[in-house]
Amino acid sequence: MQTSRGNGMHKPTFARGAAVVTALSLAFGLAACGDNAPASSAISGASGASSVSGADGGPNLQGEFAGSGASSQQSANEAWIADFHASHNQARISYDPAGSGAGVTALLNGSVIWAGSDEPLNAAQLEQSKSTCARGTAFEVPVYVTPIAFAYNLPSVGLNDSGKHLRMEPETIAAIFQGQITRWNDARLARLNPGVGLPDLPITVVHRSDKSGTTKSLFKYLKAAAGPAWPYEPGENWPNNVGQGAKGTAGLVMTLTQAEGTFGYADAAQTSGLGTVAVKVGESYVPASERGVSKMMDKVKYEAQPQGSLRKLVKVDYQTAEPGAYPVLLVSYDIACQAYQRDASGSKAAFAKSWLSYLASEAGQQQAAANAGSVPLTPAIREQVMQSVQAIEAS
Amino acid sequence: MSKTLAPQSATNMAEQNPQGVDPDAVSVSVDVSAAPAEASAAPTAPSPGRTADKVFKICAWSAGILIFLALAAVTIFLILRALPAFTGDPAVRSSALESLSGGRASNFASYVGPLLFGTILIAGLSLLLAFPVSTGIALFITHYAPRKLSTALSSVVDLLAAIPSVIYGLWGALVLVPAITGFWNWVATYLGWIPIFAGPAAAPARSVASVALVLAVMILPIITSVARDIFAQAPRLQQEAALALGATKWETIRLAVLPFARSGLISASMLGLGRALGETMAVLMILSPGFSYSLHILQASTSQTIAANIASQFPEADSMGVAMLVATGLVLFVITFLVNFLARRITGKGVSK
């Protein structure tokens, strides 16, 4: 019974240590929630076994259905969930915009039914999905396409949102992003924009500071279109110390508006009030627009897949010379299984089939376009997506 | 003139005893069962007080042990989750690091180095800004302000401590950054010959300097409230003696208050430093991150802190990426411990002069 107490326990420094520890553990606890998706993962109502025969699970779809993944799709998913719920009022659907990586992890450990991702699965993830899905591997279908605009803030010379677009070549953008062009009145910009009063201001490049599919899509375009002028491999993080970073599209746009002379990139729908660049395509200059992206989608090709694969990975032709096409775009996928493990009642498969069918329908695409500023998938692409979605079945 | 002293928390009591005895040497061990009363008194039913004593003892013990358990759990979690970052396939490790750093680092040391540098730079700067101001506020409250004002000021300081960091982050990003851009420009123009103020200043000013300023405001209340309690504890007799010998107010404070408060002030600043080291949200919202060992605090994209880096990279990271990020968290954990340890060494010696 005779003990002497550890005096260290009475010292503020130790209390502080504990406080820091608690804070850290909380931070990681929260972080850990990221890869353990919401606990609500599809507890299939045993009573509500729904038929999977129809293309649509019908209004008798019931239970909780969770998805997780890319934050780029968040506002589209909110619109889709609201609309889908109107015709399936027994189904409770949630989408956690935790990020593409977290979404794929959640899908692979079976805690969500579908994942949204700006990136297709890599070889290792594809292999891992064989143990998650009851049949074959998981597959990706494009559901969300949006133009990425190069935006600038130059209100004092009347270039913001005025219908006037500064013209740039891919090489020009690459030079700005590498800190080789540092002022707005640089001769290389003036040459492309005759008659525009470019201000004598420094260019502040603003980019994403978090890992982002938008950044990667942009770099894929620069790599293809600017050739040797863009030496970096496409990645989700900014590769140099030029300019400033900001977290998320919202943070980036906020930073753009906080100072004159800023230059960055974001989903075209988010850039209202700022000026946007017309990019050189072939011999003309094309601003970011829905029509420009639709033209790109008309030409889209798919990556070759082994026989029987349901994966639909689009190949974007960034070097296109198609007049009026806008080649800087983000294609975001939804990833699902053909058949699910631990799905005795078939409700997971029924939901996935009915949900993705809705997303690939004209109504679903219009809903996203109206609420999230995306570009509706063309009928040809929707048909391709439907081919894969139709193959979803009970395990 | 006699002031009622602010109630002292037990933690601070251990920190300062005017006799200059090392608190570590004061070991309290009471053995209840060996109380002489029990030996002499006839055996009767144990008094209710004894039971309460036992219960309380168990409660206190378990609370103490709980801290150790929590600490152990966090340590084990960090080590287990970070393990792949050191033992995994080298090719996978380096590609994960290249993806995390935008191709600027391919081994763990070169990845965590700049982050650690940024963390310490920002936390250190904010402490440098906050410490003198906090000490000033605390002295004002305890020795200069009239009674009514000091009460009001005390509650304002405690109120500031309750504001969540995300609010500071919002305020910093939306209000302070646009407002201070011009000032930093001026500093870079006229004081740019001092290396740390070298331009070009970031516009908008999402730089280390702005973050340090916001963090300084954030840690101000916690340092102030601890320092205030310590100054209020300063021995009155010595102060009165100094005044009787003709010392001015400032001399009194210098001779009879500050020496006594030294170790307590160090503890207070360590509390503040701890908060600054681990601050995530405010840094994430204000700072434009970079990846270098640069001391140019006005320039854009020079540094990033470990905590903010984890928050910004976690959502899109794959499993190896997460392991790498947790490993950087482990480094932060170790650094925080070292800071604590050093502070305890200093304060342990700092009382007896």
Side-chain angles (χ1 to χ4, degrees):
Chain A
M1 255 296 334
Q2 176 77 295
T3 47
S4 73
R5 300 196 184 130
N7 291 297
M9 281 172 47
H10 298 302
K11 307 198 66 169
T13 45
F14 198 89
R16 228 201 89 240
V20 171
V21 168
T22 316
L24 264 178
S25 64
L26 270 177
F28 283 109
L30 288 177
C33 299
D35 45 17
N36 302 327
S40 63
S41 45
I43 304 156
S44 47
S47 56
S50 34
S51 68
V52 197
S53 49
D56 184 52
N60 59 355
L61 207 59
Q62 43 175 271
E64 297 195 3
F65 306 102
S68 167
S71 52
S72 54
Q73 294 185 31
Q74 185 186 1
S75 44
N77 268 297
E78 283 167 7
W80 284 328
I81 288 171
D83 200 26
F84 188 83
H85 186 76
S87 53
H88 302 79
N89 52 16
Q90 295 292 303
R92 289 194 301 285
I93 308 153
S94 64
Y95 181 76
D96 172 22
S100 303
V104 169
T105 306
L107 178 81
L108 291 180
N109 66 26
S111 51
V112 295
I113 299 181
W114 90 98
S117 175
D118 297 335
E119 277 290 298
L121 299 173
N122 61 31
Q125 289 166 334
L126 199 66
E127 192 57 36
Q128 204 186 329
S129 72
K130 286 180 180 170
S131 58
T132 309
C133 298
R135 205 160 302 146
T137 64
F139 66 93
E140 309 92 333
V141 287
V143 293
Y144 180 85
V145 177
T146 176
I148 300 170
F150 295 101
Y152 50 81
N153 188 33
L154 293 168
S156 68
V157 287
L159 286 169
N160 275 20
D161 217 11
S162 57
K164 274 192 285 188
H165 299 279
L166 277 184
R167 296 171 158 194
M168 290 188 192
E169 294 169 338
E171 294 81 4
T172 324
I173 295 168
I176 294 175
F177 282 169
Q178 289 173 80
Q180 293 156 354
I181 296 180
T182 57
R183 298 195 77 81
W184 282 104
N185 58 355
D186 189 285
R188 280 168 284 183
L189 284 171
R191 181 176 58 81
L192 300 173
N193 296 284
V196 179
L198 287 164
D200 183 13
L201 282 172
I203 300 179
T204 303
V205 173
V206 184
H207 53 80
R208 290 281 292 270
S209 64
D210 45 340
K211 272 173 96 97
S212 152
T214 310
T215 306
K216 189 162 185 174
S217 304
L218 176 83
F219 288 172
K220 282 182 190 161
Y221 160 75
L222 281 180
K223 183 90 193 148
W230 186 252
Y232 305 105
E233 278 308 309
E236 293 180 312
N237 270 313
W238 195 257
N240 59 31
N241 278 338
V242 173
Q244 302 197 9
K247 187 180 183 303
T249 299
L252 195 153
V253 172
M254 185 186 81
T255 308
L256 284 176
T257 56
Q258 280 185 339
E260 177 134 13
T262 47
F263 178 69
Y265 57 93
D267 298 352
Q270 307 293 325
T271 58
S272 57
L274 296 161
T276 53
V277 168
V279 181
K280 187 170 189 185
V281 179
E283 290 310 306
S284 59
Y285 290 89
V286 185
S289 71
E290 183 179 323
R291 251 195 50 239
V293 172
S294 298
K295 282 202 165 171
M296 290 294 295
M297 286 199 276
D298 289 336
K299 298 270 167 205
V300 103
K301 293 189 175 61
Y302 300 89
E303 284 183 20
Q305 298 296 345
Q307 188 64 37
S309 170
L310 300 176
R311 305 175 77 196
K312 301 287 181 197
L313 305 182
V314 299
K315 282 199 292 197
V316 180
D317 177 18
Y318 294 111
Q319 291 161 302
T320 184
E322 179 80 16
Y326 185 79
V328 197
L329 49 108
L330 168 77
V331 179
S332 199
Y333 296 91
D334 270 2
I335 307 175
C337 287
Q338 184 182 354
Y340 288 84
Q341 299 275 27
R342 297 193 298 278
D343 188 24
S345 67
S347 69
K348 284 188 190 182
F351 167 77
K353 192 170 190 170
S354 137
W355 172 250
L356 291 173
S357 303
Y358 163 69
L359 261 51
S361 71
E362 192 170 355
Q365 287 296 314
Q366 290 299 343
Q367 175 78 356
N371 289 282
S374 63
V375 177
L377 295 173
T378 55
I381 297 180
R382 289 199 286 108
E383 195 181 318
Q384 287 286 338
V385 173
M386 281 309 285
Q387 274 181 14
S388 292
V389 172
Q390 287 303 330
I392 297 178
E393 58 197 357
S395 43
Chain B
M1 242 307 283
S2 83
K3 270 194 194 146
T4 47
L5 297 181
Q8 264 291 84
S9 62
T11 46
N12 290 331
M13 288 292 244
E15 273 297 6
Q16 348 123 16
N17 33 15
Q19 293 80 29
V21 180
D22 182 358
D24 278 333
V26 186
S27 164
V28 187
S29 66
V30 181
D31 193 351
V32 183
S33 61
E38 199 183 2
S40 56
T44 51
S47 65
R50 296 290 306 277
T51 321
D53 200 23
K54 271 215 171 77
V55 169
F56 182 73
K57 184 177 169 182
I58 290 167
C59 287
W61 261 88
S62 40
I65 298 294
L66 194 68
I67 284 189
F68 280 115
L69 285 179
L71 193 66
V74 170
T75 313
I76 289 165
F77 160 83
L78 283 174
I79 289 170
L80 285 182
R81 279 303 182 87
L83 215 53
F86 304 107
T87 58
D89 176 8
V92 179
R93 273 155 50 193
S94 65
S95 77
L97 280 171
E98 272 167 18
S99 147
L100 284 172
S101 62
R104 282 173 285 182
S106 54
N107 68 53
F108 184 70
S110 66
Y111 180 59
V112 80
L115 292 175
L116 191 58
F117 174 84
T119 307
I120 292 171
L121 174 70
I122 288 170
L125 271 178
S126 60
L127 186 61
L128 208 66
L129 290 168
F131 183 72
V133 179
S134 298
T135 314
I137 298 173
L139 276 176
F140 176 73
I141 289 175
T142 52
H143 288 79
Y144 285 93
R147 171 73 64 87
K148 272 197 172 133
L149 183 60
S150 74
T151 316
L153 206 56
S154 278
S155 49
V156 167
V157 167
D158 292 342
L159 199 69
L160 270 180
I163 297 175
S165 62
V166 67
I167 303 292
Y168 282 110
L170 273 175
W171 168 76
L174 295 172
V175 179
L176 182 80
V177 163
I180 207 168
T181 305
F183 173 71
W184 290 138
N185 260 330
W186 180 89
V187 171
T189 310
Y190 294 102
L191 299 176
W193 49 272
I194 305 172
I196 66 164
F197 295 134
R206 300 165 65 253
S207 55
V208 168
S210 304
V211 176
L213 207 59
V214 174
L215 289 198
V217 176
M218 266 181 64
I219 64 179
L220 203 76
I222 189 143
I223 303 179
T224 306
S225 66
V226 177
R228 176 193 63 201
D229 292 351
I230 289 161
F231 290 142
Q233 292 282 314
R236 291 216 69 77
L237 271 177
Q238 291 183 27
Q239 291 177 56
E240 281 163 15
L243 287 168
L245 288 170
T248 60
K249 189 99 180 175
W250 157 235
E251 285 166 334
T252 307
I253 288 172
R254 210 179 41 154
L255 293 168
V257 178
L258 292 181
F260 161 82
R262 210 190 89 171
S263 69
L265 284 180
I266 290 175
S267 307
S269 48
M270 286 306 131
L271 276 172
L273 186 66
R275 197 170 169 191
L277 278 174
E279 179 47 45
T280 309
M281 211 57 214
V283 177
L284 200 60
M285 294 163 95
I286 300 165
L287 183 65
S288 160
F291 200 68
S292 63
Y293 295 98
S294 161
L295 282 168
H296 302 308
I297 61 171
L298 297 181
Q299 294 178 6
S301 306
T302 55
S303 294
Q304 168 74 316
T305 71
I306 291 178
N309 184 62
I310 291 172
S312 79
Q313 300 293 314
F314 183 86
E316 297 288 331
D318 55 9
S319 56
M320 179 55 85
V322 171
M324 288 290 173
L325 292 174
V326 175
T328 62
L330 188 63
V331 171
L332 178 64
F333 189 69
V334 170
I335 293 296
T336 312
F337 252 63
L338 279 178
V339 166
N340 261 311
F341 176 73
L342 286 175
R344 285 172 55 89
R345 288 285 298 273
I346 296 168
T347 50
K349 288 179 193 150
V351 191
S352 48
K353 278 199 69 178

